Amino acid sequence: MADVLEEGDFESAESGASSTFPQQCSALRKNGHVVIKNRPCKIVEMSTSKTGKHGHAKVHLVGIDIFTGKKYEDICPSTHNMNVPHVKRKDYQLVNIEDDGYLSLMDDNGDQKEDVRVPENDCGKEIQSKFDLGESILVTILTSMGEEAAVGTKPMNS
């Protein structure tokens, strides 16, 4: 019997498989998330074309990479599945900015996090300037598909 599976036949699945889940293209919504060209994106535009003589209605998606801000586009039949990334947001108190450009953060439980760099964008400048002014702020960290980035700040409610 050639169709008996050997132990370990399932090891070829991608390690990032659990960082996304499938969703039918027609069920995706604007401001939701989708994976386009292996990047987690926020959907900023979507339009559906009518069914052709031989096919499915097609969904045209425009997404902005949630980490780089780069624009991606994709077209998918409305009945097909697309991967949707698990996106997690968490606020951390900013404790310090290290000399090497890493943020020193603390969550509600007092756990330290020191593996996120100051982003090289407006958000990074905002974090740096508020830190330099001695303001107590919360930094919002976005996590998806094995990547993390600081994406915003909020004043601390003391």
Side-chain angles (χ1 to χ4, degrees):
M1 298 266 288
D3 53 332
V4 174
L5 293 173
E6 296 293 318
E7 202 175 322
D9 277 356
F10 298 106
E11 307 269 318
S12 64
E14 283 182 44
S15 61
S18 64
S19 63
T20 64
F21 61 94
Q23 188 171 23
Q24 193 167 333
C25 216
S26 58
L28 297 170
R29 294 288 170 257
K30 191 172 173 179
N31 293 330
H33 294 95
V34 68
V35 178
I36 301 176
K37 295 183 176 53
N38 284 329
R39 299 295 304 159
C41 297
K42 182 175 181 173
I43 301 169
V44 292
E45 243 179 83
M46 56 185 299
S47 57
T48 309
S49 65
K50 287 200 168 59
T51 318
K53 191 158 100 179
H54 298 290
H56 303 277
K58 296 231 186 335
V59 178
H60 177 241
L61 294 164
V62 179
I64 303 288
D65 188 310
I66 59 175
F67 294 117
T68 65
K70 195 171 170 199
K71 186 173 167 180
Y72 291 99
E73 294 189 45
D74 201 0
I75 294 176
C76 172
S78 63
T79 55
H80 287 206
N81 281 348
M82 284 192 79
N83 284 329
V84 176
H86 290 285
V87 179
K88 203 173 85 190
R89 297 177 83 91
K90 188 169 178 185
D91 291 335
Y92 292 87
Q93 180 181 347
L94 178 62
V95 179
N96 195 7
I97 296 178
E98 305 298 330
D99 295 335
D100 57 5
Y102 281 90
L103 298 168
S104 180
L105 305 164
M106 186 171 64
D107 70 5
D108 299 340
N109 306 327
D111 296 327
Q112 294 281 339
K113 180 171 188 55
E114 298 182 331
D115 57 354
V116 178
R117 292 188 79 83
V118 177
E120 293 179 14
N121 56 19
D122 292 343
C123 177
K125 292 183 187 114
E126 185 184 350
I127 293 169
Q128 186 69 55
S129 71
K130 288 184 176 181
F131 177 74
D132 293 343
L133 292 169
E135 292 182 35
S136 295
I137 60 169
L138 292 172
V139 176
T140 304
I141 302 295
L142 205 61
T143 308
S144 181
M145 295 174 66
E147 281 186 66
E148 289 185 310
V151 294
T153 65
K154 295 178 192 163
M156 279 272 300
N157 302 330
S158 346

